[in-house]
Amino acid sequence: MFYLEDLYLRLIKVKDHKIVDLIFGNSLKTFRLRYSTVTRQTRSGRQMKKKVCIAVGDFKGHIGIGTKSSFDGINAINSATRKAKISLSLIRRGYWSLASGEPHTINYKISGKSGSVIVVVIPAPIGTGIKGGKYQRNVIQISGIKDCYTRSFGHTKSSFNSIYATYEALKLSFKYATPNIWEFIE
């Protein structure tokens, strides 16, 4: 699994969910974050679909999010799980003050945006826990971060946008080149 970080550093994308299954084995856990019914009005009446948001993670710094809407709920869950495995990203975790033990928070303050929702994830000292909304807390827990603060702006009642904004913020934690990864880039 040490090659996986090299793939992320070189921005190589995995295009098939079966490869992710081979790399991670049974360490990936699947969580259903949101399951709702959406409708649209047609000439013949209302058309109902099931919309699902699935998160896949290993609690060690890897997380993927996938959403799908379908007439059948089971097909939506399977397709969203495949999308989540394809969108798997590495999250850079860090320490608050002393670098001892397993990383428990993020390295620096990061923010992500989806729709009108902006989510800011802020590092916190050890033992603080995750301070944030329901969906933000679930996404951050799956990624393996144990302590952080969150702030959110915009229309946060739209839960799918809140989930995606949190995911985008966590993905940005690996985009910045800090001195500890300079040797891999060159």
Side-chain angles (χ1 to χ4, degrees):
M1 211 157 95
F2 55 90
Y3 294 115
L4 198 61
E5 281 81 19
D6 201 32
L7 288 175
Y8 287 119
L9 282 171
R10 307 224 186 288
L11 299 175
I12 299 172
K13 299 222 179 238
V14 178
K15 303 266 184 181
D16 192 8
H17 67 95
K18 294 177 185 174
I19 296 171
V20 173
D21 288 336
L22 284 173
I23 292 173
F24 284 97
N26 293 332
S27 65
L28 280 182
K29 305 287 187 258
T30 304
F31 300 93
R32 190 172 72 191
L33 294 177
R34 183 90 164 97
Y35 187 88
S36 65
T37 304
V38 293
T39 60
R40 74 173 180 180
Q41 187 69 35
T42 61
R43 273 188 252 161
S44 60
R46 288 190 187 134
Q47 188 179 45
M48 310 276 275
K49 284 187 176 184
K50 307 293 184 195
K51 188 171 182 183
V52 181
C53 184
I54 299 284
V56 173
D58 64 349
F59 296 98
K60 295 179 183 171
H62 299 95
I63 186 171
I65 302 267
T67 60
K68 179 68 178 171
S69 65
S70 175
F71 292 112
D72 185 20
I74 295 170
N75 289 342
I77 290 172
N78 292 337
S79 182
T81 305
R82 274 186 253 126
K83 284 183 176 183
K85 287 180 181 178
I86 290 172
S87 73
L88 204 67
S89 297
L90 184 63
I91 309 302
R92 184 176 305 151
R93 300 177 297 160
Y95 304 95
W96 174 258
S97 59
L98 298 175
S100 63
E102 191 175 321
H104 63 92
T105 188
I106 55 173
N107 282 348
Y108 35 79
K109 181 177 172 180
I110 48 178
S111 64
K113 183 176 192 250
S114 176
S116 68
V117 178
I118 299 172
V119 173
V120 181
V121 183
I122 305 164
I126 195 164
T128 304
I130 299 170
K131 307 296 183 193
K134 175 183 174 184
Y135 298 113
Q136 297 166 1
R137 185 172 46 244
N138 291 341
V139 171
I140 292 170
Q141 279 177 348
I142 293 165
S143 69
I145 295 172
K146 296 179 184 85
D147 306 300
C148 71
Y149 301 112
T150 62
R151 291 185 70 193
S152 55
F153 307 97
H155 188 69
T156 56
K157 193 174 180 182
S158 59
S159 55
F160 288 100
N161 282 345
S162 294
I163 290 168
Y164 265 107
T166 308
Y167 174 62
E168 289 296 321
L170 292 175
K171 266 188 5 183
L172 282 177
S173 69
F174 204 80
K175 299 286 185 203
Y176 298 117
T178 54
N180 58 347
I181 64 165
W182 286 352
E183 61 194 38
F184 297 114
I185 295 173
E186 294 174 355

